Amino acid sequence: LLEQPELEANQIVALWKSIHDRFLCYPDNLKYPLSIAANDLTIQSGNHSFTLSDLDAWVENSQTESSIALQLHLADGLSHAPMMMKVKRNRDKTEVAQSISPSTSVSLNTNGTALPCSAVADFLPAIESLGSSATFTGNLEWELSNNGWSIDLAGSRLAGIELDRLFENHAHRLSGKATIELDRCFIMPNERKSDLSGQIRVEQGLIGKALLKQFAENLRFKLLETEAWNDLSGDVPYDLIAIGFNISGTQMRLTGICQNERGYENYPAGVAIVFNGYPLAQSFEDAIESVRLLAAVAPMHSVAVPMSAQTEWLTNILVPPSRPLPRLESTPPRIRSARVWEGGPLVQQPR
């Protein structure tokens, strides 16, 4: 039993690797079941921290698998039910002979608790771009093997996503706090499988004019009230963004759903963005290529390349530009030659 221990978030990676490699991959290191309990465990992450009022863990082994089961209570959490997490290592007696491919799976059920995403930001650096206020609620199923990884987030919810943080290294500007609800979300990159559907909602933010134009050019939205927002000197303030999405492999369908939000029931179907009480962007029902989403958020210096399954391997070799390339000057340089100074003016116009 551990009383009021503290853990730096960046140490989670080392702790996970130690447990996974020592106990799950090599079960002979643990001959008997192991139980661990902790009260008021505080996890520090930069300037933020959160506390688990109770943590109980059990490590068990069998002939075909090893597992760690955890129950976690988030202090000050609204849900009284504990979060449930299980890490399982599947193997076989013939694993030493490499006749099968062992795998590790992770399952998480928050049971209504909004888990701060900052808890795993050091473990998964991409999560840090969601911002310090982002939370995760729902189910997670993740599996890793020698053949790649897969993840299933069906029925989950991400809230408090800070869009200005997410877009801080992008050429386009977008601010506001977003909520994403996932009806389906299964991704298996190695098998080229992706199946996602859900809704994204953002209230009270700013969107850059260049990004709005990309909505029309690449995502096939119809822009409205163009005269009103074109006259603005800076970014366009919006009241609401509400978009339903359905991505299945190479195809994507985006639908404006502002009319489903409270206070916006009288808006026409398909409205995706509301500006100053007026519809700003409206969707069509046509499906588009899913890679168009990359083109919509890509910076202006991006190079347009033809994408196909036959040429995908080249993306691992050809490096895209991270900044605009310098332009070639058509005017020749003014200094055309140099010689040893022997007195006289230091700088002289060419003859």
Side-chain angles (χ1 to χ4, degrees), residues 52-103:
L52 297 171
S53 57
D54 293 293
L55 183 150
D56 296 287
W58 300 268
V59 184
E60 297 180 344
N61 284 323
S62 68
Q63 291 184 348
T64 58
E65 68 178 37
S66 300
S67 65
I68 302 176
L70 301 98
Q71 287 188 0
L72 310 99
H73 286 266
L74 186 66
D76 301 326
L78 298 179
S79 175
H80 296 289
M83 295 183 289
M84 308 295 294
M85 183 176 181
K86 187 170 186 178
V87 182
K88 184 168 62 176
R89 176 74 173 180
N90 296 308
R91 61 181 187 277
D92 191 85
K93 291 182 179 180
T94 58
E95 180 176 339
V96 178
Q98 297 183 348
S99 61
I100 67 166
S101 176
S103 64

Side-chain angles (χ1 to χ4, degrees), residues 25 66 76 101 134 146 197-198 213 224 236 253 273 275 325 345:
C25 294
S66 300
D76 301 326
S101 176
N146 293 336
S197 71
K213 293 176 182 178
L224 309 171
V236 180
R253 191 182 301 273
I273 307 177
F275 156 67
L325 297 176

Side-chain angles (χ1 to χ4, degrees), residues 207-230 236 241 243 270-275 278-284:
I207 184 170
K209 294 179 182 178
L211 183 56
L212 271 176
K213 293 176 182 178
Q214 290 299 316
F215 267 55
E217 181 177 345
N218 285 294
L219 302 183
R220 307 285 177 82
F221 283 92
K222 180 182 179 181
L223 298 183
L224 309 171
E225 302 293 332
T226 54
E227 293 184 0
W229 57 264
N230 266 328
V236 180
I241 296 178
I243 299 174
V271 173
I273 307 177
V274 177
F275 156 67
Y278 294 93
L280 178 59
Q282 193 169 17
S283 65
F284 295 94

Side-chain angles (χ1 to χ4, degrees), residues 11-119:
Q11 295 175 338
I12 294 179
V13 178
L15 179 61
W16 155 256
K17 184 174 177 61
S18 176
I19 294 175
H20 178 269
D21 294 351
R22 183 172 182 180
F23 296 127
L24 299 186
C25 294
Y26 296 96
D28 291 340
N29 292 332
L30 185 67
K31 298 183 181 297
Y32 304 100
L34 175 65
S35 177
I36 303 173
N39 294 330
D40 296 331
L41 169 63
T42 300
I43 298 178
Q44 301 282 349
S45 177
N47 296 325
H48 306 278
S49 66
F50 69 95
T51 300
L52 297 171
S53 57
D54 293 293
L55 183 150
D56 296 287
W58 300 268
V59 184
E60 297 180 344
N61 284 323
S62 68
Q63 291 184 348
T64 58
E65 68 178 37
S66 300
S67 65
I68 302 176
L70 301 98
Q71 287 188 0
L72 310 99
H73 286 266
L74 186 66
D76 301 326
L78 298 179
S79 175
H80 296 289
M83 295 183 289
M84 308 295 294
M85 183 176 181
K86 187 170 186 178
V87 182
K88 184 168 62 176
R89 176 74 173 180
N90 296 308
R91 61 181 187 277
D92 191 85
K93 291 182 179 180
T94 58
E95 180 176 339
V96 178
Q98 297 183 348
S99 61
I100 67 166
S101 176
S103 64
T104 300
S105 62
V106 178
S107 62
L108 171 67
N109 184 355
T110 67
N111 279 324
T113 298
L115 179 66
C117 293
S118 59

